[in-house]
Amino acid sequence: MLKAALHLAPEAQKEEWLTIPDRLEDEGAQVILALPEHFLGSPRERQGLDEIVNTRLPGDWVSEWRLMAGGHRAVWTARRAARELVGDEATYGPALWPILRDRLGLDEEADLMEDWLTIPADLSDRESIVRLVLPLHFVGGELDRTDLTTLINLKLPGDWGGEVEHQGRAAGRRPLGRVDPPTP
């Protein structure tokens, strides 16, 4: 997403312009972005990049902009540690996430479960909703949607039914609520 936002060439290697620490969850961790010469740093451009970092990386990030001769840089520093997995999210998420990530065509290293999948702390609650953010490139035809619902039903306890919500140009969200069995 950063590559597209900065209008970088498709062949630009991430290592040349982006530095991400091994442990994002550590307070004080820094993400460093070497900005291209054509980046002007308008409030809108800065806000767009801040939004990408804060919605795609776990934790709370504060940006610092260095727009001067000799190289433009943006540095995001983790203000608080990333949240811990709790309840059923910790139990079922790590097994379900790699399969969903592959089905959605997401990057194994860059795309974290916390950004894409939310599993409630108590799956036995009738009001429980599982949320799966769908990437913009995901077409999501009927077969794909059925496949995702089937996968979640196989990996999570209970019976789940789903619907797709599209929110403007942002990624769709797939909430899956509990489905009660039919009464005889």
Side-chain angles (χ1 to χ4, degrees):
M1 291 184 78
L2 288 170
K3 186 186 282 191
L6 293 171
H7 306 290
L8 297 175
E11 63 274 359
Q13 297 297 310
K14 179 175 72 171
E15 296 77 23
E16 297 171 359
W17 53 274
L18 181 63
T19 304
I20 299 178
D22 291 333
R23 294 185 40 87
L24 290 168
E25 62 273 6
D26 292 346
E27 189 166 342
Q30 289 191 325
V31 173
I32 302 169
L33 178 62
L35 299 165
E37 296 278 329
H38 64 268
F39 183 80
L40 298 176
S42 71
R44 184 177 179 166
E45 289 174 312
R46 291 181 191 199
Q47 181 181 8
L49 294 178
D50 280 339
E51 189 172 311
I52 290 171
V53 170
N54 280 298
T55 59
R56 308 298 276 182
L57 297 178
D60 184 21
W61 299 88
V62 177
S63 61
E64 178 185 345
W65 300 88
R66 301 173 187 163
L67 303 173
M68 28 187 156
H72 301 317
R73 291 205 175 298
V75 178
W76 287 270
T77 304
R79 186 169 26 203
R80 288 181 300 200
R83 66 180 180 79
E84 296 290 324
L85 297 179
V86 295
D88 284 342
E89 185 174 37
T91 304
Y92 296 101
L96 178 59
W97 175 238
I99 301 165
L100 287 172
R101 183 185 60 224
D102 290 345
R103 293 275 167 88
L104 297 174
L106 299 172
D107 184 88
E108 184 175 336
E109 293 180 25
D111 292 310
L112 303 173
M113 183 178 86
E114 296 84 17
D115 299 328
W116 297 91
L117 176 65
T118 304
I119 300 174
D122 181 7
L123 290 175
S124 64
D125 183 355
R126 290 177 42 110
E127 302 298 316
S128 292
I129 294 178
V130 174
R131 293 200 188 281
L132 176 62
V133 177
L134 302 175
L136 292 175
H137 67 265
F138 185 76
V139 176
E142 188 60 37
L143 184 61
D144 293 328
R145 292 192 307 265
T146 301
D147 183 46
L148 289 174
T149 302
T150 301
L151 176 63
I152 288 171
N153 272 298
L154 288 172
K155 297 295 182 183
L156 298 180
D159 190 17
W160 300 86
E163 63 185 63
V164 174
E165 297 174 7
H166 292 286
Q167 299 176 354
R169 294 180 47 86
R173 297 194 177 273
R174 180 157 183 77
L176 294 165
R178 300 210 27 114
V179 176
D180 292 327
T183 54

